[in-house]
Amino acid sequence: MMDDIEQLKKELKKQTRQAEERRNKVKYLQVDFDNSRRWYAREKDLITDMGRTTKSTGSCFEV
């Protein structure tokens, strides 16, 4: 009986540790996704601004 309880406690600790590790991985993935989304938005804005500059001045390079 006690061996069963000890075995269950060990299994519970193992499962709890795995759940915490997975939760941490998900948090990091969320941060990576948000960073990528922000980077993409900045790049898109930069390209859009360059396109506007090209249309208004005929060049994307300031002289």
Side-chain angles (χ1 to χ4, degrees):
M1 182 76 168
M2 286 301 251
D3 288 340
D4 291 340
I5 293 173
E6 290 302 316
Q7 185 65 27
L8 289 172
K9 286 181 179 180
K10 287 180 182 180
E11 184 64 26
L12 178 61
K13 282 183 180 182
K14 178 183 171 188
Q15 294 296 324
T16 301
R17 187 173 48 250
Q18 285 180 345
E20 289 172 357
E21 290 172 0
R22 289 178 181 141
R23 188 177 343 115
N24 286 336
K25 285 181 182 181
V26 168
K27 286 180 183 179
Y28 282 111
L29 287 171
Q30 287 173 329
V31 169
D32 284 345
F33 177 77
D34 286 342
N35 288 340
S36 296
R37 188 177 43 82
R38 286 186 201 111
W39 177 84
Y40 175 77
R42 281 193 302 267
E43 288 294 312
K44 181 180 150 210
D45 290 344
L46 178 64
I47 291 168
T48 302
D49 290 345
M50 289 174 72
R52 286 186 195 128
T53 302
T54 302
K55 287 180 182 177
S56 65
T57 65
S59 173
C60 63
F61 302 103
E62 294 184 26
V63 180

